[in-house]
Amino acid sequence: MSSLEGVLRQDWKMFRGYPMVLPFASNWERIEQFQVRPDDIVIATYPKSGTTWLSEIVDMVLNKGDVEKCERDFITNKVPMLELLAPGQRITGTDLLDKAPSPRLVKTHLPIDLLPTSFWTNRCKMFYLARNAKDVATSYYHFHQMNKLLPLPGPWEEFLEKFMAGKVAYGSWHDHVKSWWERKKDYPLLYLFYEDLKEDPKREIRKVMQFLGQDLDESVLDKITRHTSFEAVKDNPLLNFTNLAIMDHNITPFMRKGMVGDWKNHFTVAQNEVFDADYQKKMAGTTLKFRSEI
Ligand code: PPS
């Protein structure tokens, strides 16, 4: 698939049971044949959970808070997305990763069963960042409006139904967050929450630092907290995706609100009740708990 034509605003392609962004699902061999390095660091999330935020935090921790080093490139190049296939530009995430120096940072939204098993057998360091379902649905809805690689979302009430049914790219939010939570029992991944990052970014950045085996001064942690705050990333062209023509920031910016609880501005009372009832069923039996307000 080499041209942009034919992939903009197309419906999902079903791939191994998951709705997938059309170009990403083509030539899957590139992902299966990807050569994992033991010192690769994986940042896995369901879409719209704060991936970019955590990516910059990890890069800053590895570079000991050196802003100049962290400004070496766009986040999309510093932390390539494993499954990316950018039609027209002939860029793939695996090509970008092949060229990247170690330790490589790998972004992915893949559910556990689509992630190449070599990541686990090589014992890579893995982060999983989760965000409450209502804010993810809200953010994902706006993202569909501005990202032309995704189908148009239709009216909010229709999109919300699709989200609840897992009929959006990468499938069910519920299954995604639960299966990565379960994996935590037998694999030492660091499972983080967007709401915790909002509540006390420095505390969470310290967790990231410890997980990466680093030891940084309080002043460096403060610097990383400031550099990665919503106010800072919103206006940072290396982080706010304004370099990608595929996204129309006039419709709504990628760095949109960056808050916990914006869902309240979109869910009606009735939608909230239906969502909660469905949520109780789908999340029954898991110890995983989310906060949709802080
Ligand atoms: S993507 O496209 O799936 O990789 O998007 P992702 O980066 O996971 O999520 C985008 C949402 O994260 C918000 N964001 C932040 N919130 C708080 N602080 C910081 N620093 C930050 N950086 C990104 C971004 O605004 C999107 O959420 P919404 O709710 O749409 O604003």
Side-chain angles (χ1 to χ4, degrees):
M1 192 159 309
S2 60
S3 109
L4 258 182
E5 276 166 45
V7 295
L8 296 186
R9 295 302 186 193
Q10 296 299 303
D11 211 348
W12 312 120
K13 181 178 163 99
M14 285 308 289
F15 182 75
R16 299 190 187 162
Y18 291 93
M20 190 56 69
V21 180
L22 179 63
F24 295 4
S26 63
N27 184 15
W28 201 262
E29 294 76 40
R30 74 192 195 284
I31 293 175
E32 268 154 2
Q33 288 163 10
F34 175 66
Q35 297 295 311
V36 177
R37 299 180 198 157
D39 58 356
D40 286 342
I41 298 169
V42 178
I43 298 167
T45 61
Y46 189 84
K48 312 322 289 179
S49 301
T51 331
T52 317
W53 189 8
L54 180 59
S55 298
E56 186 65 4
I57 289 173
V58 171
D59 189 46
M60 275 222 96
V61 168
L62 291 174
N63 284 293
K64 304 184 189 318
D66 187 328
V67 172
E68 213 172 295
K69 281 192 187 155
C70 292
E71 286 177 345
R72 69 192 178 281
D73 209 339
F74 292 103
I75 192 73
T76 43
N77 293 333
K78 290 197 302 178
V79 189
M81 188 201 233
L82 178 67
E83 61 270 27
L84 175 88
L85 193 155
Q89 299 168 45
R90 298 174 187 273
I91 295 173
T92 66
T94 48
D95 283 347
L96 291 172
L97 285 163
D98 285 344
K99 290 183 210 129
S102 289
R104 300 181 298 188
L105 302 182
V106 183
K107 164 183 172 174
T108 187
H109 295 314
L110 292 180
I112 293 250
D113 45 337
L114 292 188
L115 191 71
T117 48
S118 48
F119 278 108
W120 308 105
T121 48
N122 272 299
R123 308 303 285 174
C124 298
K125 283 206 164 73
M126 296 218 188
F127 293 91
Y128 187 81
L129 175 63
R131 186 182 191 184
N132 79 81
K134 291 176 187 175
D135 279 327
V136 168
T138 306
S139 180
Y140 216 1
Y141 170 68
H142 289 89
F143 192 54
H144 279 70
Q145 292 178 328
M146 61 88 74
N147 183 350
K148 295 177 217 154
L149 262 192
L150 308 181
L152 279 165
W156 162 244
E157 57 273 22
E158 270 175 32
F159 180 82
L160 187 59
E161 276 171 26
K162 281 187 229 157
F163 179 85
M164 284 163 56
K167 293 182 178 168
V168 288
Y170 302 98
S172 154
W173 173 91
H174 310 80
D175 290 346
H176 207 283
V177 295
K178 279 193 298 184
S179 57
W180 279 89
W181 182 252
E182 287 306 309
R183 196 73 182 82
K184 197 168 87 70
K185 288 183 185 155
D186 54 17
Y187 193 90
L189 62 90
L190 185 64
Y191 201 108
L192 298 164
F193 295 91
Y194 179 97
E195 294 73 26
D196 293 348
L197 260 173
K198 275 307 280 190
E199 183 178 65
D200 190 342
K202 191 174 169 189
R203 179 191 65 205
E204 299 304 303
I205 292 169
R206 192 178 287 113
K207 283 187 199 165
V208 170
M209 174 194 83
Q210 287 162 349
F211 187 70
L212 291 171
Q214 303 277 328
D215 187 14
L216 304 175
D217 289 347
E218 290 298 299
S219 62
V220 176
L221 292 180
D222 285 331
K223 193 173 170 189
I224 297 175
T225 304
R226 277 196 309 276
H227 174 80
T228 58
S229 70
F230 184 71
E231 292 65 37
V233 300
K234 197 171 170 42
D235 297 325
N236 184 337
L238 297 170
L239 298 177
N240 66 14
F241 286 78
T242 46
N243 58 314
L244 300 188
I246 204 91
M247 298 184 187
D248 186 346
H249 296 258
N250 292 321
I251 297 175
T252 174
F254 181 96
M255 297 296 176
R256 196 181 55 88
K257 292 228 180 135
M259 60 182 278
V260 180
D262 183 46
W263 62 270
K264 291 180 192 166
N265 297 316
H266 297 275
F267 282 63
T268 64
V269 172
Q271 283 167 355
N272 194 34
E273 282 171 7
V274 171
F275 195 94
D276 282 347
D278 177 69
Y279 188 95
Q280 298 309 327
K281 278 190 224 145
K282 290 182 174 146
M283 299 299 277
T286 176
T287 51
L288 182 56
K289 296 277 173 269
F290 283 89
R291 294 184 290 167
S292 46
E293 49 195 313
I294 53 173

